[in-house]
Every structure is written in C-alpha cells, then in structure tokens.
Amino acid sequence: QGEERMDNLNQKQERFGAKLAECRRNKNFTQEELANRLGVTPQALSKWEKGLSSPDNFCVQLEKLKQLLKSF
C-alpha cells in the first residue's frame, strides 16, 4: 500500500509538472523568468516541471502561480 501511495504521488507530481510547463510556455516565460518571479531557483522549477519534486510550500506557490499567470 505504501508503494501504491508513492506511485500516486509521483503521478500527481508529473501531471502538475506537465501542466506547469505548458502554462509557462503559453505565457512565453523562460524557466528562469518564472522561477525569479516565484522566488525559487530555475533548478527547482525545472525539477517541478519534470515531476521530480514539488514545491515545499505547495499551496503558497500554487497561489503565486495562479496570480502570476492570470496577470499576463
């Protein structure tokens, strides 16, 4: 059951990452530009987009992302 939970988490991270990359590209941001606006490193953003990790403060970062992407 623990392994199944990890698979589910990995799938969610991958879906989030794919959607994040799609939104970023649609707004014509580079990874560096978006990372700077979110206050994270480009390396962290790259890992999010690849589904290798997710934001530490997920809800806070998600709200920042929503506001940022709406404004452009």
Side-chain angles (χ1 to χ4, degrees):
Q1 189 158 4
E3 197 172 308
E4 183 178 317
R5 201 173 319 163
M6 285 303 294
D7 286 344
N8 190 28
L9 177 62
N10 290 339
Q11 289 172 355
K12 287 180 181 180
Q13 281 183 191
E14 288 173 7
R15 283 195 307 267
F16 170 76
K19 189 66 175 172
L20 175 60
E22 179 185 340
C23 289
R24 178 183 58 76
R25 286 188 209 104
N26 287 342
K27 298 294 183 176
N28 295 313
F29 284 129
T30 64
Q31 283 183 332
E32 187 171 359
E33 288 171 324
L34 184 55
N36 287 337
R37 290 173 184 267
L38 293 173
V40 299
T41 65
Q43 294 84 352
L45 185 69
S46 176
K47 286 181 180 180
W48 299 350
E49 289 187 356
K50 292 176 183 175
L52 300 176
S53 68
S54 56
D56 291 334
N57 298 316
F58 190 79
C59 292
V60 172
Q61 292 296 355
L62 193 57
E63 189 58 36
K64 282 185 186 177
L65 264 172
K66 282 178 20 184
Q67 295 305 317
L68 181 62
L69 295 175
K70 267 191 212 177
S71 65
F72 286 88

